[in-house]
Amino acid sequence: QLYVNEMQPDGVGALHIKFEQLKEKLASEGLFDAAYKKKLPAYPNKVGVITSAVGAAINDILNVSKRRYPTAEILLFPALVQGEGAEGSLVSGIEYFTNNPCVDVIIIGRGGGSGEDLFAFNSEKLARAIFKCPIPVISAVGHEHDYSISDFVADMRAPTPSAAAELALPDKEELKESLKFKRDLLIRVMNTKLGRLKDNHGNISRSSVFGSYE
């Protein structure tokens, strides 16, 4: 005699089933719709980061910031990123920046890990907090092949925390080249304009109309 208390598809874990069910639910409510995605600021002065204070993610973000756009200020909200209490900690980070809009863009994420390690980012509460946040949010959870609910609801998904920093911050060297190009173009345009004005002035000054008044 066999008593069955629970059944699930062969080879599919309970966490994966929970993930797919929540993904379907939130998608049906429109939380993933492109129409709600906010545009990232071109030149952020302050970047909020929600991650562990001792993990590799914050160090990667700081290194990218220093290299690409050192004038930006990085504000860390130290959060638990796995285990008991991680869900509430991550939600608190989003709510903190929502209620204290002191940054231009937010990065939330962590480095790689197992499916269980990353599961705090598959929280319905976190997804709804990200959706309601008025500040653009970049989700960067795990490695390139990892996907979480926060990735789908965020305004932009990055494969890694380093990549998130690359998306959030402009490259100072590219900015320098762009400014140099615009400066040179402006000089050429002004020189051309001045040349035309000088030619017009010369033509007018030689006109017989002006000569008749001598």
Side-chain angles (χ1 to χ4, degrees), residues 29-72:
E29 294 182 26
L31 269 69
F32 304 158
D33 289 359
Y36 298 114
K37 305 296 184 186
K38 294 178 286 295
K39 187 177 180 181
L40 301 184
Y43 308 107
N45 292 316
K46 296 182 179 181
V47 179
V49 178
I50 304 171
T51 191
S52 170
V54 295
I58 184 59
N59 290 324
D60 291 342
I61 291 170
L62 289 172
N63 288 336
V64 172
S65 173
K66 183 178 180 180
R67 170 173 54 84
R68 285 178 66 86
Y69 199 62
T71 58

Side-chain angles (χ1 to χ4, degrees), residues 7 52 98 117 146 177:
M7 294 182 65
S52 170
T98 297
D117 291 340
D146 297 314
E177 287 298 317

Side-chain angles (χ1 to χ4, degrees), residues 22-33:
L22 180 58
K23 179 182 172 183
E24 183 177 350
K25 174 185 176 181
L26 297 180
S28 67
E29 294 182 26
L31 269 69
F32 304 158
D33 289 359

Side-chain angles (χ1 to χ4, degrees), residues 63 107 113 130 135 168 177:
N63 288 336
I107 298 173
I130 291 174
I135 303 166
E177 287 298 317

Side-chain angles (χ1 to χ4, degrees), residues 3-4 30 36 54 56 65 76 97 103 108 124 127 134 138 149 169-170 172 174 187 200:
Y3 294 93
V4 178
Y36 298 114
V54 295
S65 173
L76 172 66
F97 288 120
V103 297
I108 183 170
E124 181 173 355
I138 303 173
I149 296 296
L169 299 167
K172 64 179 181 181
E174 291 179 3
I187 291 173
N200 290 339

